[in-house]
Amino acid sequence: MSLSLKPQHLKRYKDIAMLFLKYGHADMVHQFGLRAALNDEDLTSGQTSPPEELANDLEAMGPTFVKLGQILSSRADLLPQVYLDALSRLQDKVKPFSYEEVESIVTSELGVRISKAFLNFTREPEAAASLGQVHRATLRDGRQVVVKVQRPTIRQQIAQDLEVLEEITTFFEDHTEMGRRYQFAKIFEEFQKTLISELDYTREAANLTAIGENLKEFERIVIPAPVSGYSSRAVLTMDFIPGKKITQIEPLERMEIEGGALADELFKAYLKQVLVDGLFHADPHPGNVFLMDDRRLALLDLGMVGRTTPKMQEKLVKVLIAISEGQGDEAVTLVIDMSETTSYFEEPEFRRKISALVAEQQDNTLEKIDVGQILLEVGRSAGEHGLFVPIELTMLGKTLLQLDQIGRGLDDKFNPNAAIRQHVSEILNRRLQKDVTPGALLNSILEIKDFVSGLPRRVNKILDTVGNSEFEVKVRSPDTNLLLEGFQKIANRITTGLILAALIIGAALLMQVRTTFVIFGYPGFAMLCFLAAAGGGFWLVLSIAFADQKSKKRQRKNN
């Protein structure tokens, strides 16, 4: 069975198929049902490209695939490390669109001409990315800002690409074991949600405000504030941040700043975002972190954020503590508890591999444990052994890995694992303080009151039941009928086997009795018993084989 290719998307089908061919995965073309999009020359032309070129190819395919590459860069369970390294260097840079289009979009979105809304507005963009580009501007009150303008027709292009990707992933999950094993539909759903969210600049403005409020206690960390009334779904106006990317800091300049203190505060701020606030900047690569002229750090591009629930925060805290302390067995237990297991989950092998990984890191001293890398390795190993770890775990691993790069860019002696261990106790205290609120205390008091007031009545009821010999223990099992049916089948097979054995033994004894009724020269009754036993045995073997085959098909369908 192959994918039903829609004519209007044929070019995009071919682009995706050629991407698989280029990197030596011709089998994926057939598994994804993309063979019909290619001709024979496509299948035989070209040479396998090195993984390092994958980022360039995704950039050439457009914004949807740039964002897909950014999402996949944190999925160590799906891609080998060499591809993850290539995608981590993905640069979201494309050719800018014209100022006339910028002017038209801003006017349409804000309801006022650029000349009326801004004192000045640069015609040339400061930067151009796949979803939009950024221009410097000055408000009428003299406030320096940057204006992020979404590309024209970008929504239609992304909608078409998402339709193609949804068709492919759905087909792959429905018709291949690999698609079901790695839950491609869930991965696509998460990617679609993230991309649609990034297309709405009002959400990014809300992220800037929320994270800025959460991090206001950190004096060295700055979040640009959005400008109310100058932002919409396709236009985002925010404070201008004077400074440069971390990657542009010169060695001599690095000696003049307090790099260690900046990196430490950055780690602390991210741990608070993930483990206390539940809302964090999910893409802190070096290009999104600026060193400001006043020697503070600014976090930019908050379109991609992650969210963690209170329960998930507690689990992530425990995992971080276990790994940073080199407790491999405890870390594995916590990861399994927070993940979704499958029928083919290989728990012993998974435990052995992760415990060995943490132990190997511990042999290099605790200070050298790379927590972010270990979390990504946990994700990769989980996918190989039939365990679905939460997306929050892999996002945290990618975030810590990127922060490690930033920290070492600020101070080559910075120790991220020491920063995690140093701040984790404070994070736990913050979590406790967050949970101990007047409302939570009042709710606990009311629950205690209900328990205490109802306790005497419940105790009396239990004692009366015991005294009247009415105490019963009821066990509910939803699979009782299934178990009884299974036992009945086993009993039937055993009984049938005993009857067949009795026929064979009886036939052997009757062979010694001479009668006038014979078959093939042997006593007739003995031969009838032998034939009945042979027929019954043949039927029993066939029924067992048929039942086992039916059971296997049912299991495959359920998986």
mmCIF file of all heavy atoms in Angstrom, residues 30 65 192 223 258 268 309 329 350-351 410 510 514 531 548 557 559:
data_model
loop_
_atom_site.group_PDB
_atom_site.id
_atom_site.type_symbol
_atom_site.label_atom_id
_atom_site.label_comp_id
_atom_site.label_asym_id
_atom_site.label_seq_id
_atom_site.Cartn_x
_atom_site.Cartn_y
_atom_site.Cartn_z
ATOM 1 N N HIS A 30 10.162 4.306 0.345
ATOM 2 C CA HIS A 30 9.152 3.275 0.160
ATOM 3 C C HIS A 30 8.257 3.152 1.390
ATOM 4 O O HIS A 30 7.042 3.000 1.269
ATOM 5 C CB HIS A 30 9.829 1.935 -0.142
ATOM 6 C CG HIS A 30 10.637 1.943 -1.406
ATOM 7 N ND1 HIS A 30 10.060 1.805 -2.654
ATOM 8 C CD2 HIS A 30 11.973 2.102 -1.614
ATOM 9 C CE1 HIS A 30 11.012 1.860 -3.588
ATOM 10 N NE2 HIS A 30 12.177 2.037 -2.984
ATOM 11 N N PHE A 65 10.361 23.535 7.327
ATOM 12 C CA PHE A 65 11.379 22.525 7.536
ATOM 13 C C PHE A 65 12.538 23.052 8.386
ATOM 14 O O PHE A 65 13.232 22.272 9.030
ATOM 15 C CB PHE A 65 11.857 21.985 6.183
ATOM 16 C CG PHE A 65 10.784 21.230 5.469
ATOM 17 C CD1 PHE A 65 9.899 21.883 4.617
ATOM 18 C CD2 PHE A 65 10.621 19.872 5.674
ATOM 19 C CE1 PHE A 65 8.880 21.195 3.983
ATOM 20 C CE2 PHE A 65 9.606 19.169 5.036
ATOM 21 C CZ PHE A 65 8.734 19.840 4.199
ATOM 22 N N GLN A 192 3.345 20.707 15.059
ATOM 23 C CA GLN A 192 2.301 21.570 14.506
ATOM 24 C C GLN A 192 1.855 22.614 15.524
ATOM 25 O O GLN A 192 1.691 23.796 15.205
ATOM 26 C CB GLN A 192 1.115 20.711 14.069
ATOM 27 C CG GLN A 192 0.005 21.478 13.372
ATOM 28 C CD GLN A 192 -1.133 20.565 12.961
ATOM 29 O OE1 GLN A 192 -1.525 19.673 13.721
ATOM 30 N NE2 GLN A 192 -1.654 20.753 11.772
ATOM 31 N N ILE A 223 14.712 40.697 29.716
ATOM 32 C CA ILE A 223 13.759 40.235 28.706
ATOM 33 C C ILE A 223 13.161 41.481 28.057
ATOM 34 O O ILE A 223 12.582 42.328 28.758
ATOM 35 C CB ILE A 223 12.629 39.387 29.324
ATOM 36 C CG1 ILE A 223 13.196 38.242 30.155
ATOM 37 C CG2 ILE A 223 11.699 38.877 28.237
ATOM 38 C CD1 ILE A 223 13.922 37.207 29.359
ATOM 39 N N GLU A 258 32.364 39.621 33.847
ATOM 40 C CA GLU A 258 32.250 38.590 34.881
ATOM 41 C C GLU A 258 31.498 37.393 34.281
ATOM 42 O O GLU A 258 30.335 37.144 34.599
ATOM 43 C CB GLU A 258 31.519 39.143 36.101
ATOM 44 C CG GLU A 258 32.227 40.320 36.748
ATOM 45 C CD GLU A 258 31.451 40.858 37.938
ATOM 46 O OE1 GLU A 258 30.531 40.158 38.420
ATOM 47 O OE2 GLU A 258 31.751 41.957 38.385
ATOM 48 N N LYS A 268 20.732 29.555 36.801
ATOM 49 C CA LYS A 268 19.765 29.656 37.892
ATOM 50 C C LYS A 268 18.420 30.140 37.371
ATOM 51 O O LYS A 268 17.359 29.629 37.767
ATOM 52 C CB LYS A 268 20.292 30.616 38.956
ATOM 53 C CG LYS A 268 19.426 30.732 40.192
ATOM 54 C CD LYS A 268 20.066 31.654 41.214
ATOM 55 C CE LYS A 268 19.188 31.799 42.447
ATOM 56 N NZ LYS A 268 19.807 32.727 43.446
ATOM 57 N N THR A 309 4.061 21.051 33.993
ATOM 58 C CA THR A 309 3.055 21.037 35.050
ATOM 59 C C THR A 309 3.755 20.877 36.406
ATOM 60 O O THR A 309 4.909 20.429 36.467
ATOM 61 C CB THR A 309 2.074 19.884 34.843
ATOM 62 O OG1 THR A 309 2.801 18.639 34.924
ATOM 63 C CG2 THR A 309 1.410 19.975 33.479
ATOM 64 N N ASP A 329 20.866 4.183 39.103
ATOM 65 C CA ASP A 329 19.678 3.347 39.306
ATOM 66 C C ASP A 329 18.468 4.195 39.672
ATOM 67 O O ASP A 329 17.352 3.958 39.178
ATOM 68 C CB ASP A 329 19.943 2.318 40.410
ATOM 69 C CG ASP A 329 20.950 1.262 39.981
ATOM 70 O OD1 ASP A 329 21.100 1.074 38.760
ATOM 71 O OD2 ASP A 329 21.577 0.643 40.855
ATOM 72 N N PHE A 350 17.435 -1.404 29.265
ATOM 73 C CA PHE A 350 17.391 0.053 29.431
ATOM 74 C C PHE A 350 18.055 0.464 30.748
ATOM 75 O O PHE A 350 18.842 1.414 30.797
ATOM 76 C CB PHE A 350 15.947 0.540 29.386
ATOM 77 C CG PHE A 350 15.783 2.025 29.600
ATOM 78 C CD1 PHE A 350 16.215 2.930 28.638
ATOM 79 C CD2 PHE A 350 15.209 2.508 30.766
ATOM 80 C CE1 PHE A 350 16.069 4.297 28.842
ATOM 81 C CE2 PHE A 350 15.059 3.872 30.974
ATOM 82 C CZ PHE A 350 15.497 4.773 30.008
ATOM 83 N N ARG A 351 17.733 -0.257 31.828
ATOM 84 C CA ARG A 351 18.343 0.047 33.126
ATOM 85 C C ARG A 351 19.862 -0.111 33.071
ATOM 86 O O ARG A 351 20.609 0.725 33.586
ATOM 87 C CB ARG A 351 17.764 -0.881 34.200
ATOM 88 C CG ARG A 351 16.375 -0.501 34.687
ATOM 89 C CD ARG A 351 15.935 -1.389 35.850
ATOM 90 N NE ARG A 351 14.692 -0.920 36.406
ATOM 91 C CZ ARG A 351 14.594 0.033 37.326
ATOM 92 N NH1 ARG A 351 15.688 0.615 37.771
ATOM 93 N NH2 ARG A 351 13.431 0.409 37.797
ATOM 94 N N LEU A 410 31.003 32.222 27.869
ATOM 95 C CA LEU A 410 31.231 33.347 28.784
ATOM 96 C C LEU A 410 32.442 33.115 29.671
ATOM 97 O O LEU A 410 33.176 34.049 29.999
ATOM 98 C CB LEU A 410 29.989 33.562 29.658
ATOM 99 C CG LEU A 410 28.728 34.056 28.927
ATOM 100 C CD1 LEU A 410 27.520 33.952 29.838
ATOM 101 C CD2 LEU A 410 28.919 35.490 28.451
ATOM 102 N N LEU A 510 -6.554 -53.753 22.372
ATOM 103 C CA LEU A 510 -7.484 -54.503 21.527
ATOM 104 C C LEU A 510 -6.792 -55.238 20.386
ATOM 105 O O LEU A 510 -7.366 -56.143 19.760
ATOM 106 C CB LEU A 510 -8.557 -53.569 20.965
ATOM 107 C CG LEU A 510 -9.595 -53.059 21.966
ATOM 108 C CD1 LEU A 510 -10.497 -51.999 21.324
ATOM 109 C CD2 LEU A 510 -10.455 -54.233 22.466
ATOM 110 N N ARG A 514 -8.482 -61.284 18.956
ATOM 111 C CA ARG A 514 -8.791 -61.730 17.610
ATOM 112 C C ARG A 514 -10.299 -61.713 17.381
ATOM 113 O O ARG A 514 -11.076 -62.273 18.184
ATOM 114 C CB ARG A 514 -8.271 -63.152 17.379
ATOM 115 C CG ARG A 514 -6.765 -63.274 17.493
ATOM 116 C CD ARG A 514 -6.103 -62.446 16.405
ATOM 117 N NE ARG A 514 -4.647 -62.448 16.529
ATOM 118 C CZ ARG A 514 -3.849 -61.771 15.731
ATOM 119 N NH1 ARG A 514 -4.371 -61.029 14.766
ATOM 120 N NH2 ARG A 514 -2.543 -61.822 15.915
ATOM 121 N N LEU A 531 -7.657 -44.844 14.299
ATOM 122 C CA LEU A 531 -8.054 -43.815 13.338
ATOM 123 C C LEU A 531 -8.705 -42.624 14.045
ATOM 124 O O LEU A 531 -8.483 -41.459 13.691
ATOM 125 C CB LEU A 531 -9.028 -44.414 12.311
ATOM 126 C CG LEU A 531 -8.423 -45.426 11.337
ATOM 127 C CD1 LEU A 531 -9.516 -46.065 10.473
ATOM 128 C CD2 LEU A 531 -7.382 -44.744 10.440
ATOM 129 N N ASP A 548 -3.314 -19.732 18.059
ATOM 130 C CA ASP A 548 -2.092 -18.957 18.301
ATOM 131 C C ASP A 548 -1.898 -17.877 17.243
ATOM 132 O O ASP A 548 -1.493 -16.754 17.543
ATOM 133 C CB ASP A 548 -0.880 -19.887 18.331
ATOM 134 C CG ASP A 548 -0.867 -20.775 19.571
ATOM 135 O OD1 ASP A 548 -1.649 -20.482 20.501
ATOM 136 O OD2 ASP A 548 -0.099 -21.754 19.588
ATOM 137 N N LYS A 557 -2.377 -5.814 16.178
ATOM 138 C CA LYS A 557 -3.377 -4.771 15.965
ATOM 139 C C LYS A 557 -3.447 -3.839 17.165
ATOM 140 O O LYS A 557 -3.561 -2.622 17.028
ATOM 141 C CB LYS A 557 -4.742 -5.413 15.709
ATOM 142 C CG LYS A 557 -5.823 -4.414 15.354
ATOM 143 C CD LYS A 557 -7.126 -5.110 15.016
ATOM 144 C CE LYS A 557 -8.192 -4.093 14.649
ATOM 145 N NZ LYS A 557 -9.482 -4.751 14.328
ATOM 146 N N ASN A 559 -1.020 -3.212 19.247
ATOM 147 C CA ASN A 559 0.215 -2.425 19.345
ATOM 148 C C ASN A 559 0.263 -1.338 18.301
ATOM 149 O O ASN A 559 1.087 -0.455 18.384
ATOM 150 C CB ASN A 559 1.441 -3.335 19.197
ATOM 151 C CG ASN A 559 1.606 -4.243 20.395
ATOM 152 O OD1 ASN A 559 1.132 -3.931 21.487
ATOM 153 N ND2 ASN A 559 2.287 -5.362 20.196
#
